[in-house]
Amino acid sequence: MPRTPILIDCDPGQDDAVMLMLAMNAPELEILGITAVGGNVPLAWTEANARRICELMGRRDLPVFAGCDRPLVRPLVTAAHVHGEDGLMGLTLPAPTMVLQRQHAVDFIVETLRARDDVVLCPVGPLTNIAMALTKAPDIARRVRRIVLMGGAIHGGNVTPVAEYNIYADPDAAAVVFASGAPIVMIGLDCTHQALIGPDQIAALKRAGTTAAKATVALFDFPERWRPHLYGGRVGFPVHDACVVGWLLDPQAFAGRDCRVDVETASELTLGQTVVDWHGKHGGAPNAQVIRDVDAPRFLDELLRRLSRP
Ligand code: RIB
Ligand code: CA
């Protein structure tokens, strides 16, 4: 079975960590490298956390690169209040001992996408590294197989009433990415707010008792965060970033449509909003496949099955 080569750009981050563990437990995927960006917590933490997860999963073979430590234009706004000051609230891991690659993440992204044309780029943090790579090497927009990103929303936000964190943190970078012409799959909050890790999933993961299952319990077993009014009455907390790998493994479990997506980069009121032309009112050519729905039981069953693998 041909493996899909992927490059993960992340800001671990609790859900980033689950996404990484899921990808490492997916033999269908070949992880070419992991690049870290300043986001949920500062870069010094996100790159170290990426290495911590590699070591936890016995994957010291995976190259980890540090990228941009701040957005293109604006100061870094972290989400430490959600993920903890160290980015992995609930999961205590020793300082990493595997090496951090010397090459800058942006250069690794450019080099990788110029060396082959079958790579799927999987950004699940602010899009700073991706925008820098596209600016440095515009040709990679035509070479990348697909960009499958977690970010944005058709309706609503989680940082402001209309903006989702990854886009809000670096709206200028997001605008560069959506204007690049690269084939994009956008997995936003409309979808990820359906995919919650809640009491049933926690209980199943505790029964499984594998390294990845135990780590996921440590990162998500916070009942005080299970606020149904935020997630359509569903109980749990969204495992946003894991939906990117979920889509790669089982795209039929997800649904959406090709839309024009624009990013607000100026208005203080709506900064970071992804304006998704779901009904084609704008008339502009679609620039992304926007995923709105997921068969949550199907996705979560698969997620748990793979995290429960020894
Ligand atoms: O809005 C959810 C996104 O912001 C996820 O990628 C999470 O890790 C945070 O970065
Ligand atoms: Ca993230």
Side-chain angles (χ1 to χ4, degrees), residues 32-270:
L32 300 179
I34 299 169
T35 54
V37 66
N40 285 322
V41 288
L43 177 66
W45 282 108
T46 59
E47 66 83 359
N49 288 340
R51 289 188 286 152
R52 284 184 171 93
I53 297 300
C54 288
E55 290 185 339
L56 176 70
M57 297 295 286
R59 294 304 307 274
R60 298 171 63 92
D61 61 297
L62 293 175
V64 175
F65 303 80
C68 300
D69 63 358
R70 75 203 65 178
L72 296 186
V73 176
R74 298 170 182 271
L76 177 63
V77 174
T78 73
H81 61 290
V82 174
H83 297 267
E85 291 303 318
D86 67 359
L88 295 179
M89 182 172 69
L91 178 62
T92 303
L93 296 175
T97 58
M98 66 182 278
V99 297
L100 174 70
Q101 300 297 312
R102 295 176 59 83
Q103 186 179 29
H104 193 282
V106 170
D107 295 328
F108 173 71
I109 292 168
V110 172
E111 180 183 273
T112 302
L113 295 181
R114 280 181 166 165
R116 54 193 297 178
D117 59 4
D118 59 350
V119 178
V120 178
L121 203 45
C122 302
V124 291
L127 292 165
T128 318
N129 288 341
I130 312 306
M132 287 288 281
L134 285 163
T135 301
K136 184 168 187 176
D139 57 294
I140 64 174
R142 295 184 302 279
R143 297 188 55 79
V144 67
R145 179 170 168 184
R146 191 174 277 119
I147 298 176
V148 187
L149 67 89
M150 191 279 138
I154 302 167
H155 301 295
N158 58 3
V159 177
T160 74
V162 295
E164 175 278 327
Y165 174 77
N166 286 340
I167 309 301
Y168 178 82
D170 196 342
D172 305 285
V176 167
V177 174
F178 280 98
S180 68
I184 294 170
V185 175
M186 171 184 140
I187 303 179
L189 297 179
D190 318 89
C191 171
T192 66
H193 278 185
Q194 301 174 47
L196 310 184
I197 289 183
D200 294 347
Q201 290 72 39
I202 293 295
L205 290 165
K206 284 180 177 175
R207 288 192 298 270
T210 59
T211 298
K214 287 189 289 189
T216 302
V217 170
L219 291 164
F220 274 77
D221 192 11
F222 294 98
E224 65 275 15
R225 300 200 307 188
W226 299 346
R227 289 172 283 175
H229 69 282
L230 292 178
Y231 310 116
R234 291 176 287 269
V235 178
F237 196 77
V239 62
H240 303 282
D241 295 344
C243 291
V244 166
V245 175
W247 185 89
L248 287 172
L249 297 174
D250 184 15
Q252 299 307 313
F254 296 78
R257 67 173 65 159
D258 291 343
C259 297
R260 167 72 182 236
V261 178
D262 290 278
V263 180
E264 177 58 60
T265 58
S267 160
E268 287 306 313
L269 177 63
T270 59

Side-chain angles (χ1 to χ4, degrees), residues 266-279:
S267 160
E268 287 306 313
L269 177 63
T270 59
L271 183 71
Q273 179 176 13
T274 48
V275 181
V276 178
D277 191 7
W278 186 259
H279 297 293

